Amino acid sequence: MQVLQVVVVLLASPLVSGFIASVEARMQGRRGPRVLQVYYDLAKDFSKETLAPTGASVLYFLAPALSFACYLTVPMLIPVLTSFALPLGYMGDIFGGGLILSMASFFVAVAAAETGDGYAQLASSRSKSFSAITEPVLLLVVMTVGLITTTDLPYVLGATVRSGPAQIVRPAHLLASAALLMVILFETARIPVETHSGLIELGMIEGGRPFEHSGPLLALLKWGSATKQMVLYVILLNVFVAPWGMASTARPTDIALAAAAIVGKALLLGVAIALLDNMFAKLRLFKITEFVSAAFLLAVLAIFTLYLGGG
């Protein structure tokens, strides 16, 4: 089941990305790409030749695989299919999962910076500059829910939310969930931070880092980005917002239903993300700091609400 959790996240992540792109296009009155288009793009990239810029070091070639491995490690630590902890569920908490995701981003940023391409270096620098604010937000969000549940293990956090509706509507929990959603919008390069459909290099962050990669290396970076998005969706859904539909036993039918449930919940969240993409315009670059700082303030307010307002 532990391996199956990784497989579900790995295979469903391109589906969620393709579904969001298709829904966005429909909302804008366009036909848009097919829902399965991401799978075809990955297959095409894997079949191409790998080219490297002059002077690229070993890290340029290793970074896509290292970041991909980091993204596949996190599903072993979080509740994807089961409401009970699997053997590796107690090996790391959400702080550890956040560290692994940050490590993956670091590998991609370093590989982009050393290519010598101006746009890739700009995107790498911007990514790490804004991450200096988003990573403390993630820590404060986990700390807030950890203060409510007395632990930061994701399985226990989800069980606390499932214990009753009063846990979901707690002001501190709502503020922390809103801050986490804003972080997810930044980490997945969604409006108002960035747009997946935009081709303006000067405004790119997530989309600009793999500019100089090609072939299988580019495919791994694209697939890794989709996997990171799916992992963050799972954390938001199965730990903070909607930790229902998971298997309480190890029966194959329960596991199959849990796999269908997490994919369905991720697709519904994708519809909400697509709606946000169409409701707001992309922020100017210097305004992104204000957006990320707003997420930080929400996380701080969540902690203050706990201690001062009984939230």
Side-chain angles (χ1 to χ4, degrees):
M1 284 189 293
Q2 200 120 48
V3 174
L4 188 59
Q5 289 200 149
V6 178
V7 172
V8 168
V9 171
L10 181 64
L11 296 181
S13 55
L15 174 64
V16 174
S17 295
F19 181 77
I20 294 175
S22 179
V23 171
E24 283 183 353
R26 297 291 180 178
M27 289 181 177
Q28 296 169 2
R30 299 183 289 109
R31 182 176 179 181
R34 295 171 291 181
V35 174
L36 302 180
Q37 185 62 45
V38 180
Y39 294 99
Y40 297 118
D41 292 342
L42 291 175
K44 181 177 66 175
D45 288 332
F46 273 118
S47 65
K48 289 183 176 181
E49 180 185 1
T50 298
L51 301 175
T54 304
S57 69
V58 178
L59 186 59
Y60 171 86
F61 298 94
L62 291 180
L66 291 174
S67 62
F68 198 66
C70 290
Y71 296 138
L72 295 183
T73 302
V74 180
M76 294 189 289
L77 307 176
I78 60 177
V80 180
L81 300 178
T82 63
S83 58
F84 56 90
L86 296 175
L88 296 180
Y90 294 110
M91 294 292 289
D93 52 17
I94 293 189
F95 284 112
L99 175 63
I100 295 172
L101 291 176
S102 298
M103 189 185 305
S105 179
F106 170 77
F107 287 139
V108 176
V110 171
E114 72 153 19
T115 60
D117 180 80
Y119 292 129
Q121 290 177 332
L122 274 175
S124 175
S125 175
R126 291 167 181 167
S127 173
K128 292 297 98 184
S129 297
F130 297 137
S131 292
I133 305 177
T134 58
E135 290 175 5
V137 174
L138 188 58
L139 295 178
L140 286 175
V141 167
V142 176
M143 190 180 301
T144 302
V145 185
L147 290 172
I148 297 174
T149 62
T150 70
T151 179
D152 56 359
L153 288 174
Y155 287 94
V156 181
L157 299 181
T160 303
V161 175
R162 288 194 304 273
S163 64
Q167 296 294 337
I168 300 179
V169 298
R170 295 181 70 154
H173 185 80
L174 293 176
L175 289 169
S177 299
L180 179 59
L181 177 61
M182 295 178 71
V183 171
I184 290 176
L185 292 177
F186 168 79
E187 291 291 342
T188 57
R190 294 292 174 185
I191 284 179
V193 176
E194 193 176 350
T195 170
H196 276 243
S197 58
L199 297 175
I200 302 176
E201 293 87 347
L202 289 175
M204 286 185 173
I205 302 176
E206 180 76 13
R209 295 191 296 178
F211 253 21
E212 289 298 308
H213 287 81
S214 61
L217 298 181
L218 179 60
L220 283 177
L221 289 175
K222 289 181 178 179
W223 202 352
S225 179
T227 303
K228 178 181 71 171
Q229 174 180 262
M230 185 65 181
V231 167
L232 292 173
Y233 284 8
V234 170
I235 293 175
L236 178 66
L237 292 168
N238 279 358
V239 177
F240 285 85
V241 178
W244 297 280
M246 292 180 286
S248 57
T249 67
R251 288 197 298 266
T253 53
D254 292 346
I255 298 298
L257 290 174
I262 184 57
V263 174
K265 289 190 292 186
L267 293 179
L268 288 176
L269 180 59
V271 173
I273 296 295
L275 186 62
L276 288 174
D277 277 358
N278 283 274
M279 288 175 60
F280 297 95
K282 181 182 180 299
L283 292 173
R284 293 184 179 181
L285 190 64
F286 64 87
K287 290 287 186 179
I288 297 176
T289 306
E290 299 179 8
F291 174 82
V292 180
S293 299
F296 180 80
L297 289 177
L298 285 178
V300 173
L301 281 174
I303 295 181
F304 279 136
T305 303
L306 266 180
Y307 281 102
L308 302 180

